Amino acid sequence: MEWTREQRYLLYQQHSALELLKLQAQADNSPEQLRYHIRPASGLLNDPNGFSYFNHAWHVFYQSFPFGAAHGLKSWMHMQSTDLVHWHSRGLALTPDNEYDSHGAYSGSAKQIGDRLFLMYTGNHRDADWVRTPFQLGAWMDKNNHITKLEEPLFRNPNYISEHFRDPQLLEHDGKYYALLGAQDEKTEEGHLALWTSDDLKTGWHDLGYVDFTPHDMGYMIECPNLVNVDGHPVLIFCPQGLSKDVTNYENIYPNTYVTGDKFDFENAKLHGSSQIPVNLDDGFDVYATQAFNTPDGTAYAISWVGLPDIEYPTDSQNWANCLSQVKELHLKDGKLYQQPVAAMTNLRSNKGINVFSNETKIINEHAGQQCELNLTIAADQSGTLHLAANHDLSKSLQIKFDTNRGSLAVDRSTVGESVAEKYGTTRSVVLPTHEDLKLQVFLDHSLAEIFVNDGRHVLTLRYFADQSQQTISFDHAINSTGTLYQLKNI
Amino acid sequence: MEWTREQRYLLYQQHSALELLKLQAQADNSPEQLRYHIRPASGLLNDPNGFSYFNHAWHVFYQSFPFGAAHGLKSWMHMQSTDLVHWHSRGLALTPDNEYDSHGAYSGSAKQIGDRLFLMYTGNHRDADWVRTPFQLGAWMDKNNHITKLEEPLFRNPNYISEHFRDPQLLEHDGKYYALLGAQDEKTEEGHLALWTSDDLKTGWHDLGYVDFTPHDMGYMIECPNLVNVDGHPVLIFCPQGLSKDVTNYENIYPNTYVTGDKFDFENAKLHGSSQIPVNLDDGFDVYATQAFNTPDGTAYAISWVGLPDIEYPTDSQNWANCLSQVKELHLKDGKLYQQPVAAMTNLRSNKGINVFSNETKIINEHAGQQCELNLTIAADQSGTLHLAANHDLSKSLQIKFDTNRGSLAVDRSTVGESVAEKYGTTRSVVLPTHEDLKLQVFLDHSLAEIFVNDGRHVLTLRYFADQSQQTISFDHAINSTGTLYQLKNI
């Protein structure tokens, strides 16, 4: 279905409740629907927003267009959790309802200030000629989740920054507030990160200029920046658009990347000791717009949009699209970012786990289904294929091809079911240490796979669209391995 | 807020999606909202419908008016579970969309027939002069939860039955189908149960007349009948309206009652060995329209609307109202119905439980909160008051007053918070055996209390509307008792 501009920007009050109820039921009943991840109540979900801790609970919002699988008029939908795993909807939070966010309450962040949560976001405004102005906006959420928007914008784009100026991350440092934003230079049309500051959020915001974190050209725009402290080091996570593959090799339409540093100098907007060359945050097919934040105790958590701009997905025809990843805890080891499931993910396990050994048989489990967790250690110096969500003869499956002799792992989604974004390839691969055991932790959730490699050294996240009757997990031949398989509960 | 007829019967397509999203968020964020019971996604919930087992899952639907706390244009909303405890929304199922259910897809039942679920319900039709015709309707639900309505009604009210003819329970017996319905006699204006039969659901339904189960006058209408087999005996559960208190003593505006029997004679529409005098199914304030059914293995389960017709509740001002009870397993002992939590309710416990002893102190727990389960055995020959959802000095609380000398237990909701239906009294009581230990199993869910007495010999279900800061559970003085307190998880 082609969406016209008029359809995409029809006001929520111009859509009917019956239409919305039917779209919600359609999403609720989809066989491919996620059962233990955040997914759209209806329509399309994109960026996670406002990931935060407030009032004894975790909060995350998501960009929502409730009326179909299209990037139409966006709102923030609110999810709340006490364990970072079981998320419950708190419904529509920020909705476009004034001049400044008339064409979308776009992405942003949240931070507890005093006894309220401050939401900072980009209002997308277009005039009658469809000329865009991005406004950086604020809103307060109280302990009853009641939200009051500030009446006036915090700031807008300076002359040297184009209409592409969005996704503020609100930070606090040494008693001052800072906002880190994605920006496009008006003149050069190059992507940058911009830093602004305010003493008290209320008085004038002050432009600290572009952030100095790499000498390389970052393409034509950077979206969704996050500065987060991981084990004592600043890590900058962002999404460069149009990044040259000479700088960073990537295969998705747009990458989600990170650089590490030694120290972030807020006053001078500089990442000291930057690793300079962006590294892919996720080695799978579908991660974008990851949002990370530091909890009050300093832990760094991240959650990702599993979906990409400008890509069609098979559930579009069911009028819903995309999901969020599970929450990942971030650590740095030897300058590399590790991403691991949070501890409470174990609470989803509905049984004590089935021990799996594949030394004499290739089959791990014929009834594993597509809502499970597989923890597997494959002994060193072997190669083979692990088939997930496979049919009986393994002719259909999501394939993980590994070679611990030569040190390689590749995920191939070409044979599992409906194709997705084939233009950008059907395999993704990572380099492994040679002659070492391979540890895999795989989560399947009906149309989402999250593959943690070697304790989170790599994560490969991807959507797949298979018949739900494909219940088998099996190697292609007997492999010396041990592990545990868990069925997982709905959240 | 007074709802006009026009507002109540505005078509769903005439309401806006924005209005619905805001109502959903309001329900999601209500401090009194239930967290482990089925509650309305928005607006008003009433009768449970179509409680059944199909396609490896439990199903229950609820009567829904999504647009506020009013009895407006009703639909069926669908909930699904694999354990009778964790329910997940499958959204709008039956909606008024044709001549026969134009003014509401009213209550009914569901039964697996072949590889589909047959939904049988009452279509509420009104003509231009607001004259009502009730149609008994059918629909098929397939394994993808896709519903197709039959094009024509199964049957309508015969001449001798008034417009009050509804709530069909579909039964199967000896290869034939039967429908048990609530009915009002056109001439006498008395309430009856009607029985109809069909060989194959498709060909003409045949009227077997009124069910012979009591010589007593049942008032002016009987709603929501259920015939269920409990431990080998037929039990008839129903809601008589206008029942004389000389027949059955009750205090709620309308009671939900049952009779037991030895054998149900389908051909002659007669309950042999009927206990004749209706007994209150629940001894609390708010149970109505309970729906029970036998699973394929013969177990009898029931679920109740916690709410009453023609009663205002405090959350009406928040635009949502009512909930369903937890599922109760039914048993018969000495001719009395026992109702017990299903086994999987223990999966909601988020901790191992805190042992509570009150022999030397009156306080059971100061931080129990209002999402918990308390199992308590109070030793014989004591009297006192158990305060639930209490503030620090116990001046506000839900009170359970017990006297195991004289054999009485009363629940008093007059001091817990906002008043509810005070016209119908603020206490409810049951008779206990004297000089015996008293066993209590109490579930609190923010604004719902379910109190199981002596292993389900009595259940007292009630809504209460207290400040959520009332976290204490305490006796009024030290009581010789032992027990366990559990925090419960959200579903």
Side-chain angles (χ1 to χ4, degrees), chain A residues 15 17 24 29 88 90 145 491, chain B residues 15 17 29 88 90 145 491:
Chain A
H15 290 269
Q24 290 175 341
N29 286 297
H88 297 277
R90 297 293 178 260
N145 292 346
I491 62 168
Chain B
H15 290 269
N29 286 298
H88 296 277
R90 296 293 177 262
N145 293 346
I491 61 169

Side-chain angles (χ1 to χ4, degrees), chain B residues 3-56:
Chain B
W3 286 73
T4 64
R5 177 187 291 175
E6 194 178 22
Q7 287 169 329
R8 281 185 286 123
Y9 287 90
L10 198 66
L11 298 176
Y12 288 23
Q13 51 269 44
Q14 293 171 311
H15 290 269
S16 91
L18 180 62
E19 173 198 358
L20 184 67
L21 286 165
K22 288 184 173 177
L23 288 165
Q24 290 175 340
Q26 195 172 21
D28 287 345
N29 286 298
S30 169
E32 290 84 14
Q33 192 52 272
L34 293 296
R35 298 296 178 206
Y36 64 93
H37 286 81
I38 294 173
R39 52 88 169 181
S42 65
L44 179 141
L45 165 159
N46 55 305
D47 310 358
N49 295 155
F51 189 21
S52 55
Y53 184 79
F54 169 64
N55 194 25
H56 314 294

